[in-house]
Amino acid sequence: MYVVKSPLADADLKTVSEALQGALVDLVDLSLVAKQVHWNVVGPRFRSVHLQLDEVVGSARTHSDTVAERASALGVPPDGRAASVASGSGIATAPAGWIKDTDAVGTMVDALGAVIVRMRERMNATGEADPVSQDIFIGIIADLEKHHWMFQAEHA
Amino acid sequence: MYVVKSPLADADLKTVSEALQGALVDLVDLSLVAKQVHWNVVGPRFRSVHLQLDEVVGSARTHSDTVAERASALGVPPDGRAASVASGSGIATAPAGWIKDTDAVGTMVDALGAVIVRMRERMNATGEADPVSQDIFIGIIADLEKHHWMFQAEHA
Amino acid sequence: MYVVKSPLADADLKTVSEALQGALVDLVDLSLVAKQVHWNVVGPRFRSVHLQLDEVVGSARTHSDTVAERASALGVPPDGRAASVASGSGIATAPAGWIKDTDAVGTMVDALGAVIVRMRERMNATGEADPVSQDIFIGIIADLEKHHWMFQAEHA
Amino acid sequence: MYVVKSPLADADLKTVSEALQGALVDLVDLSLVAKQVHWNVVGPRFRSVHLQLDEVVGSARTHSDTVAERASALGVPPDGRAASVASGSGIATAPAGWIKDTDAVGTMVDALGAVIVRMRERMNATGEADPVSQDIFIGIIADLEKHHWMFQAEHA
Amino acid sequence: MYVVKSPLADADLKTVSEALQGALVDLVDLSLVAKQVHWNVVGPRFRSVHLQLDEVVGSARTHSDTVAERASALGVPPDGRAASVASGSGIATAPAGWIKDTDAVGTMVDALGAVIVRMRERMNATGEADPVSQDIFIGIIADLEKHHWMFQAEHA
Amino acid sequence: MYVVKSPLADADLKTVSEALQGALVDLVDLSLVAKQVHWNVVGPRFRSVHLQLDEVVGSARTHSDTVAERASALGVPPDGRAASVASGSGIATAPAGWIKDTDAVGTMVDALGAVIVRMRERMNATGEADPVSQDIFIGIIADLEKHHWMFQAEHA
Amino acid sequence: MYVVKSPLADADLKTVSEALQGALVDLVDLSLVAKQVHWNVVGPRFRSVHLQLDEVVGSARTHSDTVAERASALGVPPDGRAASVASGSGIATAPAGWIKDTDAVGTMVDALGAVIVRMRERMNATGEADPVSQDIFIGIIADLEKHHWMFQAEHA
Amino acid sequence: MYVVKSPLADADLKTVSEALQGALVDLVDLSLVAKQVHWNVVGPRFRSVHLQLDEVVGSARTHSDTVAERASALGVPPDGRAASVASGSGIATAPAGWIKDTDAVGTMVDALGAVIVRMRERMNATGEADPVSQDIFIGIIADLEKHHWMFQAEHA
Amino acid sequence: MYVVKSPLADADLKTVSEALQGALVDLVDLSLVAKQVHWNVVGPRFRSVHLQLDEVVGSARTHSDTVAERASALGVPPDGRAASVASGSGIATAPAGWIKDTDAVGTMVDALGAVIVRMRERMNATGEADPVSQDIFIGIIADLEKHHWMFQAEHA
Amino acid sequence: MYVVKSPLADADLKTVSEALQGALVDLVDLSLVAKQVHWNVVGPRFRSVHLQLDEVVGSARTHSDTVAERASALGVPPDGRAASVASGSGIATAPAGWIKDTDAVGTMVDALGAVIVRMRERMNATGEADPVSQDIFIGIIADLEKHHWMFQAEHA
Amino acid sequence: MYVVKSPLADADLKTVSEALQGALVDLVDLSLVAKQVHWNVVGPRFRSVHLQLDEVVGSARTHSDTVAERASALGVPPDGRAASVASGSGIATAPAGWIKDTDAVGTMVDALGAVIVRMRERMNATGEADPVSQDIFIGIIADLEKHHWMFQAEHA
Amino acid sequence: MYVVKSPLADADLKTVSEALQGALVDLVDLSLVAKQVHWNVVGPRFRSVHLQLDEVVGSARTHSDTVAERASALGVPPDGRAASVASGSGIATAPAGWIKDTDAVGTMVDALGAVIVRMRERMNATGEADPVSQDIFIGIIADLEKHHWMFQAEHA
């Protein structure tokens, strides 16, 4: 059906679109995991962690929108459906039920760490093929590493 | 571990918590489906539908937060993880790839219709057990039926 | 022509749509009457009454929009045309020409009182048929009774 | 009863007050017609027309307030009651029930056209008698003709 | 002296006005207790608890205003004077002097719990007599139970 | 010294600059008189009149700035110094000391009336010489006549 | 238990803390009295007095917070509990039930007058001991005396 | 193709449309010249002139939009393309390269002066044919002459 | 007629009211002088001085309102009429006509200097009689001396 | 005349300044073309396209300012005059007169496509010479390609 | 070179200028220390302390600006350069590297304590010489002592 | 003590952390120097330069925060203490005392020039080791070079 005349050559387009699709799935899952913990956290640091997690949710939602619209702009339809997220995400499944504040922080350190590793691979893979997409990954990493640092600092 | 002293009797609590958990899963999926169509819609009405869908996303996100926090307030941990959403949602799986604007509207008519039917059952089921939770369902239904009407009106 | 598949059974729909149409006509007329008095009031309390009336106008406009869109959402086309308002409203015709501030307050006490009586009948009539519409009437009554109290307090 | 010492001579005042009263009735009816269509429009362009109509409502309400307060300022009590609007308006009665988007646009082209013709006559009639009132008509015409163009452009 | 023509029958009015007066006293006291703890809390979680308490104060002040104005709108003069609050409140007297952050949280769990129990009784008592007042109680309970959950979650 | 190349012929410039200078003096004095009454009014309508007067002050200050900058734009230095205002204003000297609210309203009716008469003469005098300046007078008159109406309505 | 190292000598601290505690109780009561009258006032000046009282409430709440936190900052736990307010306030008990607008104004003239007298004594008492606290009293007096003037002006 | 039913007679329309088209071209060029100088100005008054020029750009853009949409509203397609602007503008070509602040001010005095002369001719030409369009020219002239004065004052 | 029960003794009241009345006249005149120069300044620094003067106008208007309302609050009717300002001000009469930017700055250095000297005398005179009024003078001086510094810095 | 000490070597500066000047001309023309279509579009999708085009205008104006100020910051005077834009732009001349909505979309697809191709060449050319300027081109391309996608999606 | 004619006598000026210069150095250093700890804090209370420190930074920056501009207004050039701050500050050097949250709170208790002692000395020293400057110190002390209390409360 | 697991290899980390620490010191000093000149500048361009400098302060504070938090995110504790800034900054010591506006501009041209040279070295040094940090330097340089151009343009 519909075809956007992509400004990229075919091989470059393949590289970039795989990176964008992978990032989309990770970021949507990150927003769901952070919300899950936001609702289930308990313990003396409840309020502080509860608020901090909503900032992660906000970041993840904004970045997933940017990534999906970039894919569309290059002519590749993005896939952010629940089943695709559940099967393709790089984040380990979060535990069910109430979660102590200490464990909540640990869960987020792991989740962010896993996403950052994969996002850096995408940044390296796309620099040649499309500097515009790479620039988007760079911005996302800077933001995720800042969140990562904060949860690590609290975990010290 | 942690126990909230619920203001409801046990039987009432069981009824209400099932309704809240079901609503949570439906609403998270509604937000994902609406985003999916927001990114993949094509055709002459692209811009209009693209914007309209983000209003559905906003509604669904707000309502899912209300529902999950109501569950927590009653002492029941909510579950909004990707796999739970993928398996428990009452919405049919959205198609992959580009979607014509006419089909996009139809998809949303169906998705909203399915959620509304289930949400009305929840409204009826919880009136006795907890009028506070019922009131939340009433507000959600009023909003979803308004979105539903608008997509139906466009589908005429 | 166009048909919305209403979520209500036929008998319920008849009850609810009559209530909504009646409310629409009352509320549009309330906004016109309040504006009429806003422009024609004279006397030492001019400024205070002039400003207070614009708050009634704002309430009436907002509620009429809610009621009309609820009718559409249930598949019933609302009718807010001038002639329908002139013939169907439950408010007595306001006097022509300048109106003393004391009489202006009395006019509003009467107008609001007439609308409230009819609106409470609609609230009672629709509870069984459609709790969602009833909830809208409840909210409107709470607001109108607050305006009513204020004009009565000034009339003491 | 109460008399404002009008800054205009009697003959001039008669000319101007007739023009203002006529404009008031037209503008209140324009706001009611636009709301009527706003609630009843259906078809693929539903959302776009639905939103556009609320901008006409906003314009008509603002202008009717300006015109009525100008009459009061000249010592002439304005009449914006429902029956006066229903009998005195220069706009043809809008049809009852659902209205296709194409017809909705046509209805607004006609309604705006009818008001503009009468408003230009008022502008010409009042220039000598009261340039201040004429200036108000000029501003209203500029705004209505802009709305008129937009509906005509969509009707092409 | 002054008489508002109440829209309720006498027996209904008695039920509703007692409920509203009781709620007013509880809510004013809740705002005073929360401020008292806001000023006197000490300990490592000082800042987090200090901020959270001001949100309770904001809620309590808003709800007390709604409840008092509803009483006035029904023709019953509300009583929110200091002595009436001191003698009629359902909240245990807060301790004087500095209060450890852990105890501060416990104090709020108890205070909110006591008010919620009484507020639910009022909700049940008024449903028949005046659904509009009942709807106000429902909204207040939803908000107080959310605050209650948060303090309980921190107390785990 | 400095000369702006005026877009007007000499005779026109003379007419227009006299009108602008006269308007400036009237408007500055209007702002001082309204402030004087704002500070000295007493009586049961104190608050209402006190607030209303500050709206006159705001109007008068804005208009005086427009008029003075128009003079400068035409190459004529405006004069708004205290002594020039005291000697050239068309408003009768306001009384010293406390002023009853009824008298305060009467003072403003007279002050506005006096300025409006002179401003209409200026509007008539400048239409030929400079329609741009005339348009400024028209806007000022519309605003002053609205304030005039309101004080007259309160004086009824 | 907890001790703030106060920057003041012991005798000075005693003087200042008594003044702050007295001011706190007066200001909390002032906010309760003003709200009480705000809800119960009736008569032709209802709206004007109703609005004005909420400005007193806003002032009193802000000042009570400043005063209480100043006490904490000096190491003295403040006491703003309902019973302490009821027994320690310098304001006469407000009457129960509806209150005519004229009496409402008189009540506020008296209440503000009583607080101002006591607040001026505190200002004089603390100048030597702690100029920082004295400066807070000065600002409060300036604000209360302005409110006092306005109610007196309305009482003329 | 598409025809708007113009509210003007043919001869009047010809006069008005030529005036609007001429104004459009002048105003677009004014915005380009002001930006050009904004970027290239140097000298001790750099910052002050740099900021002042952006206010001219803002005015010129707003006015060009008003003028072009007025043409469309009268049924005449406006032409604001680069080549049409380059050939039809009444402003002398601005110099290339850096421009001293003194010269920058002189350039703007000349550019505004040239546009004002032509705009006044348009105002005079259209008063009979269409007072609505004339009113737009009047507003534009008032604004341009204010900017003109300010640059002349700096050139003294 | 109307009497405010002043919180000050008679001798103190005389001292304070003379200081407040003197300050009122100076501050109103300062606002008129600054506006006069704002409209008449010419020269290369036109824009910078033009803007800076409006900040002085804003300060002077705010302070004059504070001072006049303080007088009323103490029971002394303030006098800010044009003739009182013209005869009582401590500022030398500003020159008529255009004024070079260098002279404009000098005029403001002198005007502010004259007001500051008198305002410091008022500060010293009122400390004993009414610390609240003195505190108002202190705040005004801090602000005027800051403006004074800025004009002096430009005059270097 | 004036010389900025550029941080770049001569050869690099030549490369970068040519790229910036070319980009400036393209972006100014893009803003003019989008406005031209904004004013002349007709057809059923009028409103949607009309609004969308103003977003392109906003983007193009912002980017042209960034690019021109970057040139100035590197010591190269930018040239954005009408004649330079008319002769140097890479966009085909837009058609005169009314334009159907379908053609309007096609015009924007072509215009954006042409600018994107040239902008990517500039991005590639400047990476070595000045990564800071390249980063600006990258940001512009990301934005233009997003606009391009949207118009292409509507053209499907 | 440049001389501001100071409103103070020489001896007074010496006293006041030393106090202001000392306060400037303390306050700049306070902002640097708080930022240093803001960046280096670690531990479970990381987020709470991290946010609280930025409020201290905001206070310290605002106060340092007030103090420096007061010195300039009195004719004394302030010195806020890095070396002057490093040598003249009354705050002990903050430790390098990561800092535990408990130690961070302790560091701020000490830093604020040291500044408050010196600031109270300045308040006492300047009351005679310049009440305007003294009033500035009073306001700063009130704010710093509030921050001090909060950190002490967390240190309990 | 606390260790962030850095995402960089050791050699890369050393390169990057030196660059970040150097940038931090330069940027904090830039903010202090700009404030110092902001307070001490004198001469006819005082106001313009005074305001422009606060924009540099804002930029420098924002960038220093970004740089310090990036260091923390990489596991390296930043050092922004007064003594470290005084000894490590690349900006020449600003002169003490009043500074003529011409010299003030020259001081800022030099300060910004010195920082830009060092910042470009850091951009080149870190591209390989950490593109995320490099991207931060690129953004800072673009901003500083824009400020640099503006001061140079004023120095022409």
Side-chain angles (χ1 to χ4, degrees), chain E residues 1-2 24 28-29 32 35-36 38-40 42 50 61 65 68-69 72 75 77-82 94-98, chain G residues 1-2 28-29 32 35-36 38-40 42 50 61 65 68-69 72 75 77-82 94-98 100:
Chain E
M1 184 172 91
Y2 151 85
L24 174 58
V28 172
D29 200 31
L32 295 180
K35 264 294 180 199
Q36 173 74 7
H38 168 85
W39 295 323
N40 284 285
V42 298
H50 182 75
R61 286 178 175 169
D65 212 56
E69 301 210 336
S72 290
D79 182 354
R81 296 170 299 167
W98 304 120
Chain G
M1 181 174 94
Y2 152 87
V28 171
D29 199 31
L32 295 180
K35 263 293 180 200
Q36 173 73 8
H38 167 85
W39 295 321
N40 284 286
V42 298
H50 182 74
R61 285 178 176 169
D65 214 56
E69 302 210 337
S72 290
D79 181 353
R81 297 170 299 167
W98 304 121
K100 289 282 298 176

Side-chain angles (χ1 to χ4, degrees), chain K residues 128-146:
Chain K
E128 198 107 331
D130 183 27
V132 180
S133 297
Q134 187 197 37
D135 198 57
I136 289 171
F137 289 127
I138 288 174
I140 292 172
I141 291 166
D143 192 32
L144 295 182
E145 289 183 354
K146 189 169 164 184

Side-chain angles (χ1 to χ4, degrees), chain J residues 6-154:
Chain J
S6 176
L8 304 182
D10 282 4
D12 288 348
L13 184 57
K14 185 166 181 307
T15 303
V16 174
S17 65
E18 282 174 9
L20 290 168
Q21 174 60 29
L24 173 59
V25 162
D26 279 2
L27 289 163
V28 172
D29 200 30
L30 182 60
S31 77
L32 295 181
V33 166
K35 264 293 179 199
Q36 173 74 6
V37 182
H38 169 84
W39 295 323
N40 285 285
V41 62
V42 298
R45 288 152 61 198
F46 163 79
R47 183 176 148 87
S48 177
V49 173
H50 182 75
L51 292 175
Q52 187 176 3
L53 281 160
D54 250 3
E55 295 177 10
V56 176
V57 172
S59 284
R61 284 179 176 169
T62 301
H63 296 322
S64 66
D65 213 55
T66 303
V67 157
E69 301 209 338
R70 179 69 192 156
S72 290
L74 292 176
V76 184
D79 181 355
R81 297 171 297 168
S84 310
V85 172
S87 65
S89 162
I91 306 177
T93 305
W98 305 118
I99 181 166
K100 290 281 298 175
D101 48 16
T102 326
D103 299 336
V105 171
T107 298
M108 292 312 298
V109 170
D110 292 347
L112 285 160
V115 174
I116 287 166
V117 166
R118 290 157 59 109
M119 210 64 82
R120 281 193 165 263
E121 292 167 6
R122 289 169 194 132
M123 172 183 74
N124 293 331
T126 55
E128 199 106 330
D130 184 26
V132 179
S133 296
Q134 188 199 35
D135 201 58
I136 288 171
F137 288 127
I138 289 173
I140 292 172
I141 291 167
D143 190 32
L144 295 182
E145 289 184 356
K146 192 169 163 182
H147 285 297
H148 199 211
W149 150 55
M150 290 189 171
F151 281 103
Q152 285 182 90
E154 288 177 42

Side-chain angles (χ1 to χ4, degrees), chain B residues 91-127:
Chain B
I91 306 177
T93 305
W98 305 119
I99 181 165
K100 289 282 297 176
D101 47 17
T102 324
D103 299 337
V105 171
T107 298
M108 292 313 297
V109 170
D110 292 348
L112 285 160
V115 174
I116 286 166
V117 166
R118 289 157 61 108
M119 210 64 81
R120 281 193 164 263
E121 291 166 7
R122 290 170 194 129
M123 172 182 74
N124 294 330
T126 54

Side-chain angles (χ1 to χ4, degrees), chain K residues 40-127:
Chain K
N40 284 285
V41 63
V42 299
R45 289 153 59 199
F46 162 77
R47 184 177 146 86
S48 179
V49 174
H50 182 74
L51 292 176
Q52 185 176 2
L53 282 160
D54 251 1
E55 295 176 12
V56 177
V57 173
S59 285
R61 284 178 176 169
T62 299
H63 295 321
S64 66
D65 213 53
T66 302
V67 157
E69 300 209 339
R70 179 70 192 155
S72 290
L74 292 176
V76 184
D79 182 354
R81 296 172 298 167
S84 311
V85 172
S87 65
S89 164
I91 307 176
T93 304
W98 306 118
I99 181 165
K100 290 282 295 175
D101 48 17
T102 324
D103 299 336
V105 171
T107 298
M108 291 313 298
V109 169
D110 293 348
L112 284 160
V115 175
I116 286 167
V117 166
R118 291 157 59 107
M119 210 65 80
R120 279 193 165 263
E121 291 166 7
R122 290 170 194 130
M123 173 183 73
N124 294 329
T126 54

Side-chain angles (χ1 to χ4, degrees), chain D:
Chain D
M1 182 172 92
Y2 152 85
V3 181
V4 159
K5 209 177 60 177
S6 176
L8 303 183
D10 280 5
D12 289 349
L13 184 57
K14 184 165 183 306
T15 303
V16 173
S17 66
E18 282 173 11
L20 290 167
Q21 175 60 29
L24 174 59
V25 162
D26 279 2
L27 290 164
V28 171
D29 200 31
L30 182 60
S31 78
L32 295 180
V33 167
K35 263 293 179 199
Q36 173 73 7
V37 183
H38 168 85
W39 295 323
N40 284 285
V41 62
V42 298
R45 289 151 60 195
F46 162 78
R47 183 178 149 83
S48 178
V49 174
H50 183 75
L51 293 175
Q52 187 176 2
L53 282 159
D54 251 3
E55 295 176 12
V56 177
V57 172
S59 285
R61 284 177 176 170
T62 301
H63 295 319
S64 67
D65 214 55
T66 303
V67 157
E69 301 210 335
R70 178 70 193 155
S72 291
L74 292 176
V76 185
D79 182 352
R81 297 171 298 166
S84 310
V85 171
S87 65
S89 163
I91 307 178
T93 306
W98 305 118
I99 181 166
K100 291 280 297 177
D101 48 15
T102 323
D103 299 336
V105 171
T107 298
M108 291 313 297
V109 169
D110 292 348
L112 284 160
V115 174
I116 286 166
V117 166
R118 289 156 61 107
M119 210 63 84
R120 278 193 165 262
E121 291 166 7
R122 289 168 195 132
M123 172 183 73
N124 293 330
T126 54
E128 200 107 327
D130 184 25
V132 179
S133 297
Q134 188 197 36
D135 198 57
I136 289 170
F137 289 127
I138 287 175
I140 292 172
I141 291 167
D143 191 31
L144 295 183
E145 288 183 355
K146 189 168 163 182
H147 285 299
H148 198 211
W149 152 53
M150 290 189 171
F151 281 103
Q152 286 183 92
E154 286 177 42
H155 217 46

